[in-house]
Amino acid sequence: MSRQTVEFSITAAERLNETLNAFLEVDREGALRRVEEIEQSGEAGALPGIPIAIKDNICVKGMQASCGSKILGDYHPPYNATVIERLIKAGAVVVGKTNCDEFAMGSSNENSAFGPVRNPWDTTRVSGGSSGGSATAVAAGIVPVALGSDTGGSVRQPASLCGVVGLKPTYGRNSRYGLVAFASSLDQIGVFAREVEDAALVLGVIAGRDPHDATTADVPVPDYSAALTGNITGARLGFPRALFGQGLDDDVKKSVENVIDVYRELGAEIVDVELPHAGYAIAVYYIIATAEASSNLARFDGVRYGFRAEETPE
Amino acid sequence: MPITEADIKKVADLAHLELADEELKTFGPQITEIVNYVEQLNALDTANVEPAIGGLTPEGARTSSSRDDEIAGSIGQKTALEEAPDPASGHFRVPKVL
């Protein structure tokens, strides 16, 4: 069964790539070899034979990690990110690496060195970004789940634009070891899925303390799937009404109002919250993100790997 | 704070970026705009705000990040040099800069 699922994903990824440009690498051979290993071992984890796509700034051994940039190009990292180790242990099969804005900097995926990702609902439109390839791969039905990274919206925004579930976990919830760093005090690896249940399952696998990442919190990982009972009676949901004005598209406004009604009917309590400093968030973000990016990206100097300039400046 | 063409040129020189005259003229007003935007933060009084280090929640920040100092495997010289643009005798060779 899992072989068919994986083969379907690989074939769909290859066939649709000319239209969508969601994948920078599809690993047919490696994925099918992995399926064979799973079949022979007879082990069944939480994600048995589930195909998954990974943003091209997360290290998967044997595959490229270009970060959507020609500076890294066909760089092949010598190790797996911790989240990849955990996914593989749970039985997941990585089928490919997905397109993204260069070094995860962008919100439309037009800033990839390998061309923009198309939105599967309307290929004349952008996928959003920077994890646009992962969002599109899930929305187009190529894979049921994918990983991206979110510094200032790079999972949540493309998920929204592509109409899929996008989850940025709390800082410290999962390890960033093996994620190419952008702004270390904001970066988190996040999950794309077609169903909330699938996102819960994947988060349960990748969450938790990692000795390789000192910023992971040593707090227990709850059973996220078991928490999805369908009953939200008594849940209190905060709504920052002050942000619900200027620049808001009418369709978006209607959608949010609809969802508030749905939650209320399901028994949740909607509470107005004030975020008095929210107006300063973007200014603060652009100081922190750019300063941290400057120090993090200093390692791409062409000494140990990646592009090296022909001429050395005097 | 206005950013002058001389400021742009200085930063570009420090970063070894070659900018055309046209670019020098374009970037000045753009960067001035960014700096002005960020200056709105001066309206906030942060005198009594504790500095924050990293992004962990109080719950996460309380957790210990120390571990036993045990020797673990490493990737080894051969693997480490596999992606090197110009390896030589087990080293990363770089162009002469001095």
Side-chain angles (χ1 to χ4, degrees):
Chain A
M1 187 64 197
S2 85
R3 175 177 292 271
Q4 279 173 333
T5 317
V6 171
E7 268 178 4
F8 169 84
S9 277
I10 298 166
T11 305
E14 288 169 345
R15 274 201 195 145
L16 294 172
N17 219 35
E18 203 176 313
T19 316
L20 301 175
N21 201 25
F23 284 85
L24 296 177
E25 181 181 13
V26 178
D27 186 17
R28 174 177 284 274
E29 210 177 292
L32 293 177
R33 199 169 48 231
R34 177 82 191 110
V35 169
E36 233 159 75
E37 281 170 20
I38 295 168
E39 282 172 351
Q40 279 170 11
S41 74
E43 283 171 33
L47 302 166
I50 302 296
I52 187 165
I54 308 292
K55 187 178 184 181
D56 207 28
N57 64 348
I58 298 171
C59 293
V60 181
K61 203 173 167 181
M63 299 179 80
Q64 66 164 53
S66 76
C67 296
S69 174
K70 288 185 180 168
I71 292 175
L72 283 173
D74 70 345
Y75 169 69
H76 282 66
Y79 66 101
N80 278 326
T82 299
V83 293
I84 300 300
E85 285 289 331
R86 290 181 180 175
L87 286 171
I88 290 174
K89 214 173 150 198
V93 178
V94 177
V95 295
K97 300 297 294 290
T98 57
N99 200 352
C100 57
D101 284 305
E102 192 155 3
F103 289 106
M105 294 175 193
S107 304
S108 67
N109 234 297
E110 293 164 299
N111 295 311
S112 163
F114 306 103
V117 176
R118 310 280 175 194
N119 193 311
W121 297 100
D122 177 353
T123 54
T124 66
R125 294 173 190 245
V126 298
S127 58
S130 64
S131 314
S134 289
T136 284
V138 171
I142 297 169
V143 282
V145 283
L147 292 189
S149 65
D150 189 320
T151 305
S154 281
V155 166
R156 294 161 291 168
Q157 185 256 33
S160 173
L161 266 58
C162 290
V164 296
V165 178
L167 173 70
K168 180 184 190 183
T170 304
Y171 191 88
R173 179 69 291 185
N174 53 33
S175 166
R176 289 99 49 84
Y177 179 71
L179 166 71
V180 176
F182 166 8
S184 305
S185 61
L186 301 164
D187 294 345
Q188 268 301 105
I189 290 173
V191 185
F192 292 94
R194 281 205 292 278
E195 310 285 346
V196 171
E197 285 85 350
D198 295 344
L201 204 57
V202 172
L203 180 63
V205 168
I206 64 173
R209 172 92 181 128
D210 173 20
H212 289 304
D213 179 354
T215 63
T216 46
D218 194 10
V219 290
V221 179
D223 186 341
Y224 296 114
S225 300
L228 298 174
T229 58
N231 180 6
I232 58 163
T233 305
R236 298 176 76 223
L237 304 179
F239 178 56
R241 195 170 294 278
L243 303 182
F244 207 61
Q246 208 187 354
L248 187 68
D249 194 280
D250 269 348
D251 287 343
V252 175
K253 185 168 185 257
K254 264 184 226 148
S255 295
V256 178
E257 279 168 351
N258 280 343
V259 96
I260 287 174
D261 287 342
V262 169
Y263 285 142
R264 203 175 266 135
E265 277 164 30
L266 289 171
E269 185 191 352
I270 310 295
V271 189
D272 276 358
V273 288
E274 275 184 47
L275 302 171
H277 293 119
Y280 298 102
I282 294 174
V284 171
Y285 174 79
Y286 274 106
I287 293 175
I288 294 174
T290 50
E292 294 187 2
S294 176
S295 41
N296 276 325
L297 270 63
R299 72 191 58 160
F300 303 115
D301 52 11
V303 170
R304 290 152 299 155
Y305 50 83
F307 176 78
R308 180 181 286 182
E310 290 287 326
E311 281 174 37
T312 315
E314 295 290 319
Chain B
M1 193 177 79
I3 305 291
T4 65
E5 226 175 283
D7 294 325
I8 303 288
K9 190 155 179 15
K10 189 183 166 195
V11 174
D13 284 347
L14 287 171
H16 294 299
L17 293 174
E18 288 170 19
L19 298 182
D21 286 350
E22 191 124 312
E23 288 173 313
L24 285 175
K25 283 193 181 70
T26 323
F27 291 156
Q30 284 181 356
I31 293 178
T32 303
E33 215 173 294
I34 294 168
V35 172
N36 287 344
Y37 180 73
V38 165
E39 274 181 343
Q40 63 172 297
L41 293 176
N42 293 338
L44 289 171
D45 179 8
T46 54
N48 296 317
V49 178
E50 290 280 324
I53 301 165
L56 280 178
T57 57
E59 187 187 30
R62 275 198 304 274
T63 64
S64 162
S65 59
S66 66
R67 59 173 167 77
D68 293 336
D69 189 16
E70 283 169 353
I71 297 169
S74 62
I75 59 169
Q77 196 182 50
K78 189 177 166 285
T79 311
L81 286 165
E82 253 161 27
E83 294 284 328
D86 186 19
S89 317
H91 295 279
F92 296 101
R93 184 162 56 191
V94 294
K96 224 171 166 176
V97 286
L98 290 173

